[in-house]
Amino acid sequence: MSDHVGVRHLVVTRHALVRQVLADPVTYRPDNALDAVTPMPVTALRVLAGHRFRLPPTLANNSGASHPEIRAIVAAALHPERVAAQRPWLTALVRDRVARLGTRLDTGAPVDLYADLAADLPLLTLARLVELPDAPVGAVKEFARAALELFWAPLDTDRQLALAAEVGRFHRVLRDFAATGGGLAGELRAAGHPPDVVVGALFFLLVAGQETTSQFLTLLLHRLAGEPAVRAGLRTGDVAVADVVEEGLRLEPPIVTWRRVAATDSTLGGTAVPAGSSLVLWLARAGRDPAVVETPDEFRPGQRGSRRHLSFGAGAHRCVGDVLARMEAAVVVAEAAPLLDGVAVVRPPWCPDNLTFRMPDAFVIRRSAGAPA
């Protein structure tokens, strides 16, 4: 297929073939994972250069020898035991927010479950695990969304210039922190990694390590609003929270595609793939492959194949924060699902045009007149 600027891509949709590509980083390299979908004009590149913006290979776009060590350092910061230790704190925070939002719903007021519940939870949790730059939550969220748009959306020149300025400004903050900060930044420096690599790792964590999870929480809550039988099963205990999270990841993934580039001539599913070809791996479609899932278009927690989704990728570059994302989603489902009983959706999430990320902007609900709390 051709994209909006005429570049040709091989789109891979079958679960087995998507997994085959992800599991073979030698034949199908991740070098293009962070390439801008809309080529940047010289004017935007000058803006980024003025901020000394660089994204060297670190995590998602790293096929080199440094990847295993960088990944191991990040994985240690997000170790399952450290993640589990945050669960009581996060549960208390979500429970308090849900109580306040429930009170507002009882008055008939609308509630935005993205802005008022899901938007900042992953960032606050990540900050407790990985020391982050001292910046307002709003500024970090704006930077993350700007980066997702700049690199993965179809854009005109004016928008590229505005986003380049915003991303470049925050890159300066990351660069200063990378030089002196503790936590993960200090561990990467101690391992001998240069400043650009430290910045690149922080950049990717702040984008993929929290923004995608807040997107997923919003998308999952919206899906649950239309699944009364699943919510009833959660209330009675007949439906497991963990199964709801996995089915949500399968049907409502925040990352719908990912890219690879063919390093050598190969054949994939009977199709010739010349070296240099761009492959777009349709993760969301692979999650609905009838060869894997019993009822691919239905939200049925616990069904056969539900957990075989590729929402976290696969292979050497599988998402290092999968345990963290699952924990956060489980807490939100367990605590916030009751908010959806007896409500009407006033404003469903709207997702802008983007190759890879869904980026919902809001999810507004209101309690229906006469509905029980």
Side-chain angles (χ1 to χ4, degrees), residues 291-348:
V292 175
V293 186
E294 187 175 3
T295 55
D297 296 323
E298 295 182 18
F299 196 98
R300 290 178 52 191
Q303 70 168 310
R304 177 184 62 81
S306 178
R307 292 174 177 264
R308 293 180 60 192
H309 60 80
L310 297 171
S311 298
F312 293 117
H317 289 83
R318 177 182 169 83
C319 176
V320 73
D322 59 339
V323 173
L324 175 59
R326 282 183 165 110
M327 185 276 286
E328 292 167 330
V331 169
V332 168
V333 168
E335 300 296 330
L339 284 178
L340 302 171
D341 292 336
V343 302
V345 175
V346 177
R347 168 79 152 71

Side-chain angles (χ1 to χ4, degrees), residues 82 85-86 89 123-131:
R82 301 192 72 220
Q86 300 305 317
W89 167 83
L123 178 58
L124 296 175
T125 309
L126 186 64
R128 292 171 64 90
L129 291 164
V130 180
E131 190 172 332

Side-chain angles (χ1 to χ4, degrees), residues 27 96 102 258 328:
T27 306
D96 178 67
W258 205 245
E328 292 167 330

Side-chain angles (χ1 to χ4, degrees), residues 266-289:
S266 63
T267 301
L268 185 65
T271 298
V273 183
S277 298
S278 169
L279 291 86
V280 174
L281 311 178
W282 197 350
L283 306 179
R285 190 71 188 96
R288 295 172 182 250
D289 190 333

Side-chain angles (χ1 to χ4, degrees), residues 21 25 108 143 145 149 169 235 238 261 264 270 291 308 336 343:
V21 172
F143 150 73
R145 292 180 72 89
E149 186 178 353
R169 282 192 298 270
R235 284 195 301 273
D238 294 326
V261 60
T264 60
R308 293 180 60 192
V343 302

Side-chain angles (χ1 to χ4, degrees), residues 133-226:
D134 186 13
V137 168
V140 178
K141 298 295 292 184
E142 289 174 7
F143 150 73
R145 292 180 72 89
L148 294 183
E149 186 178 353
L150 179 62
F151 288 100
W152 284 279
L155 302 168
D156 60 33
T157 300
D158 288 343
R159 185 59 178 164
Q160 284 176 305
L161 287 171
L163 293 169
E166 186 169 350
V167 170
R169 282 192 298 270
F170 199 85
H171 191 269
R172 287 178 177 265
V173 175
L174 292 180
R175 195 166 61 248
D176 292 343
F177 180 78
T180 60
L184 179 64
E187 292 171 14
L188 288 167
R189 289 197 313 271
H193 294 286
D196 280 354
V197 168
V198 181
V199 173
L202 291 170
F203 180 96
F204 192 74
L205 271 180
L206 285 175
V207 173
Q210 58 86 24
E211 184 61 31
T212 53
T213 306
S214 64
Q215 293 173 25
F216 174 57
L217 298 178
T218 306
L219 296 165
L220 179 55
L221 288 172
H222 176 242
R223 181 70 187 226
L224 285 175

